[in-house]
Amino acid sequence: MAFTAFSSSTAAVEPVARRKSPIALFLLLPGIFYLILFFVTPLISLIITSLQAPDPLLFGQYVNAFNWQNYVTVIETYGEQAVRSAGYAALATLFALLIGFPLAYFIGITLRPYPLLQSLALVLVIAPFFISFLLRTLAWKQIFSTEGPISGILSSIGILGPGEAITGTAFSVIFGLTYNFIPFMTLPIYATLVSLDLRLLEAGNDLYGSPATTFRTVTLPLSAAGVMSGTLLTFIPAAGDYINASREFLGSADTTMIGNVIETNFLVLQNFPAAAALSLLLMAFILVLVALYVKRSGTEELL
């Protein structure tokens, strides 16, 4: 009898769910339309552009074709810049993690008994967002320049030669990437640590676990979601960044990243198929890397 009653109630609920489904689909239509208009359509346009071929009649013009050779050409031509971009982004992400995690731990756990100081420290982390990305990078260019204080100190102790500057080196570019994206690493980790139950840490101490053991077995696993989010939010924009590595800011011809190559092909050379092919390859590389990272970290449910 109970099974019959349950079956009858389930059968009564199912038609209601079916009647509500068109309403749910109708509510989703604005979001679906937005995604199609601003994500799917530009992606299709980018794919079409990446396969274009030079117009045989008009110099500098391109016609629609299936010229997949564009991908082979850009890989052969700009492979060095692609490897450099991945390396710079990986190092910047690592340094941002080494700086951002202790900072997030300090704000989220150490300062938890002091709400006013915790709020002030959090504001200081967010404060750089109130200043333009370009202005912050230009400020570091002036600091690292030949006339800047850091170059002067390093020259006086013999690390830099006369007239040498830090700008235009791999160090300055990685430093700029790390500095500009530290908040993207710190805030997600802080969001997980601020909600961490401190009684779990106390339990680790009560069970005679050392601070290092408690951190490794309790704090770090419970903050894995924030670490993964911060890593992705830092690596993805850093890999495609073209501001820090440009000659006008912290980079030089020897530090060119893939973002600078895309910018040059699109705005200067107007080689739109090459720029589109590079953009799609960068997108595919990041997607594959993110999928592997998520799978290895065991956090598939977070996506």
Side-chain angles (χ1 to χ4, degrees), residues 50-134:
S50 69
L51 296 172
Q52 288 180 343
D55 192 328
L57 300 178
L58 297 174
F59 178 76
Q61 300 297 318
Y62 300 91
V63 295
N64 292 332
F66 191 71
N67 189 22
W68 58 268
Q69 187 66 26
N70 290 336
Y71 289 90
V72 178
T73 302
V74 296
I75 291 174
E76 293 176 347
T77 306
Y78 304 113
E80 179 183 354
Q81 289 83 350
V83 174
R84 184 184 298 130
S85 299
Y88 284 1
L91 288 173
T93 303
L94 175 62
F95 293 142
L97 178 60
L98 294 177
I99 298 172
F101 197 103
L103 182 59
Y105 186 93
F106 176 74
I107 299 174
I109 294 183
T110 306
L111 292 182
R112 191 180 297 185
Y114 314 100
L116 183 60
L117 292 178
Q118 187 181 46
S119 300
L120 178 60
L122 191 60
V123 169
L124 293 177
V125 173
I126 304 174
F129 286 118
F130 295 98
I131 304 175
S132 170
F133 186 94
L134 299 178

Side-chain angles (χ1 to χ4, degrees), residues 141-227:
K141 179 183 179 181
Q142 295 300 319
I143 295 174
F144 284 154
S145 64
T146 308
E147 298 80 13
I150 296 181
S151 296
I153 295 174
L154 295 179
S155 297
S156 63
I157 60 179
I159 296 179
L160 292 179
E164 290 185 357
I166 303 176
T167 54
T169 63
F171 170 83
S172 63
V173 175
I174 296 172
F175 178 92
L177 291 172
T178 304
Y179 165 76
N180 282 302
F181 293 116
I182 278 180
F184 292 92
M185 178 67 75
T186 305
L187 294 177
I189 300 176
Y190 164 79
T192 58
L193 291 177
V194 75
S195 59
L196 181 65
D197 192 348
L198 296 182
R199 290 176 297 181
L200 298 174
L201 303 183
E202 295 174 0
N205 295 328
D206 294 340
L207 294 173
Y208 304 102
S210 65
T213 302
T214 304
F215 175 81
R216 179 175 53 85
T217 58
V218 179
T219 307
L220 193 57
L222 292 177
S223 61
V227 172

Side-chain angles (χ1 to χ4, degrees), residues 43-54:
L43 180 61
I44 294 174
S45 175
L46 199 65
I47 294 173
I48 294 174
T49 303
S50 69
L51 296 172
Q52 288 180 343

